[in-house]
């Protein structure tokens, strides 16, 4: 092995992989067996963070950055003048095992540019995972990117060796995809998604009858959308995400703020700010839809197509629906408690448990961990210590913003000045 050449490839192909944020290993239950290497049931991929805040695994690489497509948003597109490289299958296997033995990583996140054909590329990705599992007895976490347009047979085989599969939809809408990636078809992305979904359902049903049924992608599948490359509203993005969750049983939909990588009249110019705050708001909305019982049209709709910049989506919904408040924390059900700004689901659970034994007051709620700096405007409890004067939504918003802090605060300081 030429170590200098492998090091050069690693620098090129790890850097090219940083734009893919869908690298979570949650949900896998693959355990160590036959005294092999790794245990995905105990921990997932080790992560580091880039200077722009993105979460990146320590071994997160492309098999190659050669690509036959010319997607405008992609740094590895064929027309982009970048240094190209490609790993041999055995090189990726050796890197994974050696990095693992040195305690650098707990798994592999492997993606690739598309070279020759989707099937040819997918075959090589599977070959890496197969060698790790069968020849190296590696039981750590493996995440393989599904190649759009590859065959159902290859998608089935990939799921037998990978813990998670993902195919990035990239652009949230079909019209945006036609604009930025005219060589690709929407069905090339959805076909492998459907195959994975059906195989997961089949595995679940067969497992009830035959316990020895081989595991299939135990951590499920995920996808990623690029945010800010095209003109979609937050409503468009969240309706698309909701569709993929329901239609293809996604474990996660990831939102990645577009990083300008080339001059193109269809895209934001180089030097444009990465929409990190918007990305953050979309993740918050995603969380509300998945765990807090909100419907997508409650948060974004025709009257409110974009998320507020200066406040989080749950607070925004509450301020637009003041008729639901204040909520009595000693009487309200779980669903309504979850809609109070400042209450997370952990706090909701603690409140439901604690109020079985006594009525709760402000001191109790503070000890539970409720963020009273915002929650106090939307709840009542067993206490007379309450702000009784009338406060409308704008006044409440201003008072909360004056006492709030966060890493994105400087991005909306102009709005904050309105309340000073």
């Amino acid at each position: 092995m030429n170590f200098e050449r492998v090091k050069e490839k690693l620098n090129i192909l790890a850097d090219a992989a940083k734009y893919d944020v869908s690298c979570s290993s949650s949900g896998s239950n693959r355990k160590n067996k036959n005294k092999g290497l790794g245990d995905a049931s105990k921990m997932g991929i080790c992560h580091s963070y880039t200077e722009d805040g993105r979460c990146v695994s320590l071994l997160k690489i492309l098999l190659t950055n050669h690509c036959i497509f010319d997607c405008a948003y992609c740094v590895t597109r064929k027309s982009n003048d970048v240094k190209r490289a490609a790993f041999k299958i055995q090189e990726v296997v050796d890197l994974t095992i050696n990095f693992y033995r040195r305690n650098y990583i707990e798994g592999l996140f492997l993606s690739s540019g598309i070279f020759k054909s989707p099937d040819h590329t997918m075959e090589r990705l599977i070959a890496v995972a197969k060698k790790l599992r069968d020849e190296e007895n590696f039981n750590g976490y493996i995440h393989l990117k599904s190649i759009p347009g590859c065959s159902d047979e290859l998608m089935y085989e990939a799921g037998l060796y990978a813990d998670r599969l993902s195919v990035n939809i990239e652009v949230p809408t079909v019209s945006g995809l036609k604009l930025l990636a005219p060589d690709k078809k929407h069905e090339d992305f959805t076909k492998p998604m459907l195959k994975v979904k059906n195989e997961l359902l089949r595995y679940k049903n067969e497992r009830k009858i035959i316990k020895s049924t081989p595991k299939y992608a135990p951590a499920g599948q995920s996808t990623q959308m690029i945010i800010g490359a095209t003109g979609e509203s937050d409503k468009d993005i969240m309706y698309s995400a909701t569709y993929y969750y329901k239609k293809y049983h996604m474990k996660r939909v990831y939102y990645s703020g577009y990083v300008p990588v080339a001059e193109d009249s269809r895209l934001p110019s180089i030097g444009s700010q990465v929409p990190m705050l918007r990305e953050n708001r979309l993740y918050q909305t995603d969380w509300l839809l998945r765990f807090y019982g909100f419907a997508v049209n409650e948060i974004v709709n025709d009257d409110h197509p974009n998320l507020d910049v200066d406040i989080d989506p749950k607070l925004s919904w509450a301020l637009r629906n003041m008729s639901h408040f204040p909520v009595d924390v000693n009487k309200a059900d779980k669903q309504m408690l979850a809609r109070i700004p400042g209450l997370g689901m952990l706090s909701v659970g603690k409140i439901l448990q604690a109020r079985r034994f006594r009525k709760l007051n402000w001191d109790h709620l503070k000890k539970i961990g409720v963020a009273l700096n915002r929650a106090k405007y939307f709840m009542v409890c067993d206490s007379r210590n309450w702000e009784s004067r009338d406060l409308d939504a704008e006044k409440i918003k201003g008072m909360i913003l004056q006492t709030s802090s966060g890493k994105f605060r400087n991005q909306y300081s102009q709005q904050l000045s309105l309340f000073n």
Side-chain angles (χ1 to χ4, degrees), residues 323-334:
S323 60
H324 294 288
F325 301 101
V327 172
D328 188 339
V329 295
N330 288 300
K331 297 179 180 179
D333 60 19
K334 181 178 180 180

Side-chain angles (χ1 to χ4, degrees), residues 177-240:
L177 183 68
K178 288 181 179 178
L179 175 66
L180 299 181
D183 295 336
K184 290 183 177 178
K185 299 177 181 178
H186 186 255
E187 53 267 31
D188 289 340
F189 297 91
T190 57
K191 184 170 174 276
M193 289 180 182
L194 183 61
K195 177 62 177 179
V196 174
K197 171 200 165 183
N198 291 337
E199 288 299 334
L200 287 169
L201 291 173
R202 185 163 73 102
Y203 166 75
K204 184 177 180 180
N205 291 329
E206 289 184 358
R207 176 75 175 171
K208 295 176 182 178
I209 303 171
I210 306 172
K211 297 300 182 184
S212 60
T213 301
K215 288 182 179 180
Y216 185 86
Q221 65 173 328
S222 60
T223 191
Q224 172 179 289
M225 298 179 183
I226 297 174
I227 306 306
T230 46
E232 289 89 1
S233 66
D234 294 333
K235 185 191 79 168
D236 296 330
I237 293 167
M238 292 316 305
Y239 269 93
S240 290

Side-chain angles (χ1 to χ4, degrees), residues 14 23 25 47 68 78 166 212 218 239 279 289 298 305 329:
C23 54
S25 60
H47 294 90
I68 61 176
K78 66 181 181 182
S166 60
S212 60
Y239 269 93
E279 178 184 310
L289 300 180
E298 293 182 282
V329 295

Side-chain angles (χ1 to χ4, degrees), residues 289-325:
L289 300 180
R290 294 165 62 214
F291 300 111
Y292 285 74
F294 282 84
V296 64
N297 64 349
E298 293 182 282
I299 302 174
V300 283
N301 47 54
D302 291 338
D303 296 327
H304 193 74
N306 290 303
L307 299 168
D308 291 319
V309 174
D310 50 353
I311 56 175
D312 67 81
K314 184 155 82 160
L315 176 57
S316 176
W317 176 85
L319 292 174
R320 287 183 278 123
N321 293 272
M322 291 300 293
S323 60
H324 294 288
F325 301 101

